[in-house]
Amino acid sequence: MADGAQRKPTRIQIQKRELIREAALDVFSAQGFRGATLDQIAEAAGLSKPNLLYYFESKEAIHAELMDRLLDTWLNPLREMDPDGDPLTELRGYIQRKLEASRDYPRESRLFANEILQGAPRLGSELSGPLRALVEDKSVVLRQWMAQGRIVRMDPQHLIFAIWAVTQHYADFDVQVQAVLGSNDEARFHDAAATIETLFFKGLLPR
């Protein structure tokens, strides 16, 4: 092996890093970045703090890896909107994918919300870079559909924001949703999708 070349991590090292990331996700999503400590993460992972520091040099390093993964998860539902598809079918699919993300990734959603509420100090460049570019790209698609008379004219960026806001509720406030419904039945996500589609699509259909 050439001098300075990095060795491929062992299976144990890969497993330990994933264990730490999972534990950190629990802690960060509950405590936020400022409230979380390496001691809390190490305890959640069942490791000593020195052992944790063998795999990650700092709390910031763990958080940065989680945020990189999170942004990709957050952007994927919008990326999949097909400009060549039927507008209502594509928007319906987007709403469903966002609700599925709320159902399947509640910790990641809370981690994202915590970062935003703190002013996005560790994610600002990503929001004004890849996220902004993606929203602008999909806004062009929405404007094309509007120009073709397939959906009504409105501000496409604010349409995307509105879908974010409504679907995000089922991740960040799911405890409240379950309490009000008196049930944690996953049918709530199906019912939510149907209701959201009705709200949006009645306003989107040309008259």
Side-chain angles (χ1 to χ4, degrees), residues 20 38 41-42 45 47-56 62:
I20 293 167
L38 283 174
I41 297 169
L47 301 172
S48 67
K49 185 175 177 180
N51 197 1
L52 182 151
L53 288 170
Y54 173 79
Y55 295 99
F56 288 94
I62 304 172

Side-chain angles (χ1 to χ4, degrees), residues 108-125:
E108 288 85 347
S109 182
R110 288 193 295 272
L111 179 64
F112 184 82
N114 280 330
E115 174 71 7
I116 298 301
L117 288 172
Q118 291 175 16
R122 289 158 293 275
L123 199 58
S125 62

Side-chain angles (χ1 to χ4, degrees), residues 74 78 81 90-92 94-96 98-99 102 142 156-170 196 200-201 204:
W74 176 251
L78 186 56
M81 195 166 73
E90 293 305 316
L91 287 166
R92 178 179 288 110
Y94 179 47
I95 290 169
Q96 290 174 340
K98 285 290 282 107
L99 283 170
S102 294
L142 290 167
Q157 292 170 316
H158 286 284
L159 173 59
I160 293 171
F161 295 160
I163 293 173
W164 287 354
V166 176
T167 54
Q168 189 80 11
H169 180 86
Y170 292 89
I196 294 167
F200 279 104
F201 294 170
L204 285 169

Side-chain angles (χ1 to χ4, degrees), residues 60-77:
E60 289 77 7
I62 304 172
H63 191 269
E65 255 193 51
L66 289 175
M67 295 306 294
D68 285 343
R69 286 185 171 192
L70 168 61
L71 190 63
D72 203 44
T73 300
W74 176 251
L75 295 180
N76 277 338

